Amino acid sequence: MIKQTVIASMLVLTAPIFASGDVTAPQVPQLLESKGVGSELTAKSFANLELFLNNFLKEREISLSGDDKVAKKAAKDAIPFLQFAIEKLAASKNKDKMDQASAYIIGKRIIYSIVAQETMNRSVGMMEGLGIIKKITTSMPNVEIDERDRIVGLEQAAKESTFLVGQNGNYLSVDDLAKMSVNEIADLGISDNHPLWHSEKYLATAQKDSWTKIEKWSEKKMKKKIEKKISIEAANEYSIDRAKKVLFFDEIKTSATSPKVNVYDAYGEKWKLKWGNEVQVEPVANKIYLKMGAKFADLVYTNARGVDGTVLVLGDPTQAGSCSLINSYDLLKQCLLDSKYNFNIDPYTLEKGVINEANVEKVLRNLTTNGTSGTKKSDLLGRTYLTFHESMVEFRGSKGVDYGGPIPGSFFGSEEDRVARGLLIFNMWIKNIDSKDENNKNVIVNDLYVDGDQYIEYQHDLGASLGALGQSGSMDAIADSSFARNTNSKIIFDQFMLYRPKAWMNITFADGLWMAKKIARITKQDLDQMLKDTKWPEFYQKIFVRKLLARRNKIAEVFGISEMISAEERKIDIMDIKIDLSSKDARRDAAVMFNIELAKLERLMKKTRLLDRNNVSQYVDTVVKNNHVVGCESSIIVNLLESGPNPSGIKRRIERAKDYKPLPACEFFPGIKTDSDEENL
């Protein structure tokens, strides 16, 4: 208990870096109650919600015509969602009670989202902060295998999720569920119209995975916009991959917690550029999330290193520089240090310089010749450019999608929803500790999965996954199997969650089993492919795949569904990985593979007497031993990676609270005892 109290005290002190609590706008339920819009759907509450939405829309339309820029931006963002909610309510009047209830819930969730977007970053009180103590472990009901085929009865049926559908596609009532077993309820589907998740029917017939579908849909929308805005030639050559390779600085973003800047591409479309320990984690987590069955995720990409990743072009050097107009590297560095991020960009910068006649073709070789005014190569002579060891971009193209605000995870339907509840299991699997409302958003997309507009909700920021508090991507901070266990009555996750929506606390065993089966279907091949996109060294990708497979297997074990996983993948072997550095060719291959300088590698080998004066060596470097990455003191490869190509770290991961300085220098001592050696003693 003393240990838990100490840990909790530390967490309370560090929590402010993650901001504003589980619930972004806790005042909204009371606001709607005061307007006669309660939890129960009646003819009167339905009419009151319509009235509130229409009045809310009129207020935003007035703001749109005003002079307040902030209010105008908020109104512009809110209006499409209010219009959608009003239209959905009107259309539901001619449908059955369940469709009306769905429209009623979505209307309230949209109101919450708008209010939350305008009131983010509220202060968290001491008592709410102390609630972190309860989040060191999370438990949910367990049902023993021999009990799962018994009829649940009315009492348990009333606790199960709402809006579940049977094989004929009809919504099932509590009375219907009462006649079913736990296994039968766990196998029930969700509606095709669910705002977060695809139905099993869709997933069984989908011709493309959701990531590819969203990407191709985005490109199609952008091509239409660019053809109208620039030219048909520009539209024909457009691709997201090419557009992200040269970006232009706009401003330092002020509403995020990880170091991030707003940028735009040569077509004038918005992107976000990010550094730090989340740049590999967020893209792979998003892909896993979509693979599981989610309808939407942000298109985020870990960039390749150097010119073929992303080139950042700074502002016009003929104007006076400031943190509002950054036009030099020194100014960018200082403004990031002075910003809320207190971030040092130096370790992440691979190359910096001024674009001139001698280097323009090399530096801007991926720049389109059909961009907007001011983005041609000749226009950019004299500008400062940067390339990076590590970085990430997020596509924010505006065509075909309206971006909304935070969505509620603790009321307005979430607490009774199968997907919202089941996401507890998914977030435990990838160890995402940061599932507050602000990291769950809504969008309205046009012609993505259905013709016309469609309202979708999604987990917006999964960057705080696969690691520890403030240290995303820390492989050693993730347990293989000790994070989950079961008793006769409970499944217990011994894993800290900084934020935990109330939906997770209402989860039933059937909800958890539904999501656990989706996790069990993810294969090694799936993970191998997705981890490639991290651009991590191959050995680090392999150890992370192994970790996720072991955790997948543990979830299957505690839910009693291990048989869903192939016998081959149920066996997780101990992993050791060595890199041969004994010959010149082997060292050259290693230098290319890991983006390290051959001369630097050989100098360090000579310094530590692993390479003699005649360039003869017998040395084989161990990078992974007994399932653990070897530290920089004992692995020359890890040492050189952490001091160069991977500034966010490998064995050591940079802490978000300390990224104003690089990882501490590390001296390589061949033969030093490793963590893995200690464990084997």
Side-chain angles (χ1 to χ4, degrees), residues 372-393:
T372 57
S373 175
T375 63
K376 295 187 183 304
K377 292 175 183 177
S378 58
D379 299 325
L380 303 176
L381 296 175
R383 297 275 192 104
T384 296
Y385 76 93
L386 292 74
T387 66
F388 306 101
H389 290 290
E390 293 180 329
S391 63
M392 185 198 90
V393 289

Side-chain angles (χ1 to χ4, degrees), residues 4 65 72 82 91 100 126 160 190 306 321 327 332 356 388 391 427 451 486 513 528 566 576 587 593 662:
Q4 285 189 335
S65 61
K72 288 179 74 169
L82 291 169
Q100 289 178 28
M126 180 179 292
E160 296 294 345
I190 54 173
N327 54 13
L332 174 64
N356 55 43
F388 306 101
S391 63
N427 283 278
D451 292 337
N486 51 358
L513 181 57
D528 282 339
S566 70
D576 295 300
R587 293 190 292 275
M593 179 187 299

Side-chain angles (χ1 to χ4, degrees), residues 393 425 452 602:
V393 289
I425 312 303
E602 292 189 332

Side-chain angles (χ1 to χ4, degrees), residues 438-449:
E438 288 179 19
N439 285 340
N440 294 268
K441 296 292 182 74
N442 56 10
V443 290
I444 294 174
V445 295
N446 181 261
D447 297 334
L448 177 54
Y449 298 111

Side-chain angles (χ1 to χ4, degrees), residues 561-627:
I561 54 170
S562 294
E563 73 282 353
M564 288 187 63
I565 299 168
S566 70
E568 181 182 2
E569 291 201 8
R570 286 202 297 270
K571 183 182 178 183
I572 304 294
D573 294 326
I574 292 174
M575 184 172 285
D576 295 300
I577 300 176
K578 299 177 184 291
I579 307 297
D580 180 19
L581 299 176
S582 61
S583 69
K584 185 76 173 182
D585 286 345
R587 293 190 292 275
R588 187 179 293 110
D589 289 345
V592 172
M593 179 187 299
F594 297 112
N595 291 309
I596 56 180
E597 296 176 31
L598 177 60
K600 193 172 183 179
L601 170 62
E602 292 189 332
R603 280 198 304 270
L604 187 51
M605 288 181 69
K606 286 180 179 178
K607 179 182 177 182
T608 52
R609 299 185 179 181
L610 297 174
L611 186 64
D612 67 19
R613 294 178 181 178
N614 298 316
N615 286 331
V616 175
S617 175
Q618 301 298 319
Y619 184 62
V620 176
D621 193 51
T622 300
V623 291
V624 174
K625 186 172 184 178
N626 194 24
N627 304 329

Side-chain angles (χ1 to χ4, degrees), residues 207-223:
Q207 295 181 346
K208 295 178 182 176
D209 65 273
S210 292
W211 180 277
T212 301
K213 186 170 182 65
I214 294 168
E215 195 172 54
K216 295 302 181 186
W217 165 79
S218 297
E219 288 184 337
K220 183 178 179 181
K221 291 288 185 181
M222 289 307 307
K223 284 176 179 288

